Amino acid sequence: MKKALMLALALATAGSASAAGKVEIFSWWAGDEGPALEALIKLYEQKYPSVKVDNATVSGGAGTNAKAVLKTRMLGGTPPDSFQAHAGQELIGTWVVANRMEDLTPLFKSEGWNKAFPQDLIKLISTKDGIWSVPVNVHRSNVMWYNPAKLKAWGVTAPKTWPEFLSTCAKLKAKGVAAPLVVGENWTQQHLWENVMIGTLGAQNWENLWTGKLKFTDPKVVGAFTTFGKVMDCTNKDASGLSWQQASDRIAAGTSAFNIMGDWAAGYYTTTKKLTPGKDFGWAPSPGTTKVFVMLADSFGLPKGAKNRTEAMNWLKVLGSKQGQDAFNPLKGSIAARIDSDLSKYNTYSKSAAADWKSNKIVGSMAHGAVAPESFMSAFGAIIDQFVAGRDAKGAANAAQQLATRAGIGK
């Protein structure tokens, strides 16, 4: 009798185990970003208690390590069930063009997401053949950060255009501010470059640059390169040795007046530095980009051949839901990609960004993978380095156009 009961229990246990599902989620979110991912996993497991989430995070290298592991798995035919990628061309230019991703258009229709997300965002994550990922958050890249008390002491305000910035730069230098604008290592200079380009060319011409309607060799673009050179003349000489956090520190310390950085800087100031938004640090759209929201987003897609496809689809449903986005973003320090989030859950800066997200013209960031394929991005840093060293605007524009052609931009 006892043996029979034990056998029955063993069979029941085995049956339960085989009925339980699992889903492997692949990302580079660890450290400060870990709690936000855990909040999503917790919500998923509440909705689907019979499914265990395998959190396959690969940390380090700001995503570089994870992308290398992902490439090996995708090419080896063992993709994770769902994986993180920057929304837009980072995914489209690699795994979508390689025919390795599933079209998520039916999911967007069934979940009503075509109305929940801004049309400009859906355009960035789509091709003529489909919609390729579910954005879980949004960051803004075109933000100018400053120290309100120091600007008041210096008698200047945040400039609204790049010509106005250059005038402000001259005033600050005359007052003894050696580097009115602080920048860091190479990628932060690419970040600055795109802000100068958008602020000089305008949002429409920025979009035209990535569809091939506007060439890098156009006089307007060459002129914007020249402006970028003048802006770089207002920056610190030790840029290559600074992380973005160290550059941000110089705003808090009041040794530089301005820094152009994504709005993860707000999280750094408030969480790490314990500063008060609006008092200890201020912000404005980078010069020339009022009413323009330059975005980057983390998103997840569904690779073809995912072993646990149904569970992965349910993961994507959680990511795109209002509940999921409002669980994740207040912890991540970003805003929801949806336009109907509960703003009572967000801080002062995020409420400001969310208001602009709903009303501004949205364009994608080059420096963070939204509008340019990886083949362009990986080589563009060398062009910026060469330009910063020699200030040859025409040479840089020609090199950028050659790179764009090789990357297939405009085809």
Side-chain angles (χ1 to χ4, degrees), residues 323-346:
Q323 189 179 9
Q325 303 223 336
D326 284 342
F328 176 83
N329 286 295
L331 295 174
K332 174 71 162 55
S334 45
I335 64 171
R338 297 177 63 108
I339 56 176
D340 58 353
S341 60
D342 180 0
L343 294 183
S344 69
K345 299 178 183 293
Y346 294 80

Side-chain angles (χ1 to χ4, degrees), residues 10 23 79 112 151 154 156 178 189-190 205 286 289 296 299 335 348 371 395:
V23 60
L151 292 201
W154 286 321
V156 300
Q189 295 168 40
Q190 294 182 56
N205 276 328
S286 60
T289 66
L296 58 143
S299 66
I335 64 171
T348 301
V371 295

Side-chain angles (χ1 to χ4, degrees), residues 181-238:
L181 179 68
V182 60
V183 294
E185 56 194 310
N186 179 284
W187 75 263
T188 73
Q189 295 168 40
Q190 294 182 56
H191 186 111
L192 174 62
W193 173 85
E194 77 173 13
N195 274 277
V196 174
M197 283 286 153
I198 298 169
T200 304
L201 297 174
Q204 186 59 60
N205 276 328
W206 176 251
E207 289 185 334
N208 290 345
L209 200 57
W210 303 107
T211 59
K213 293 180 181 178
L214 180 68
K215 301 295 185 186
F216 281 86
T217 48
D218 187 281
K220 292 191 287 289
V221 182
V222 176
F225 261 107
T226 300
T227 299
F228 175 58
K230 293 177 181 177
V231 171
M232 286 298 295
D233 289 339
C234 296
T235 64
N236 46 307
K237 305 301 181 187
D238 60 348

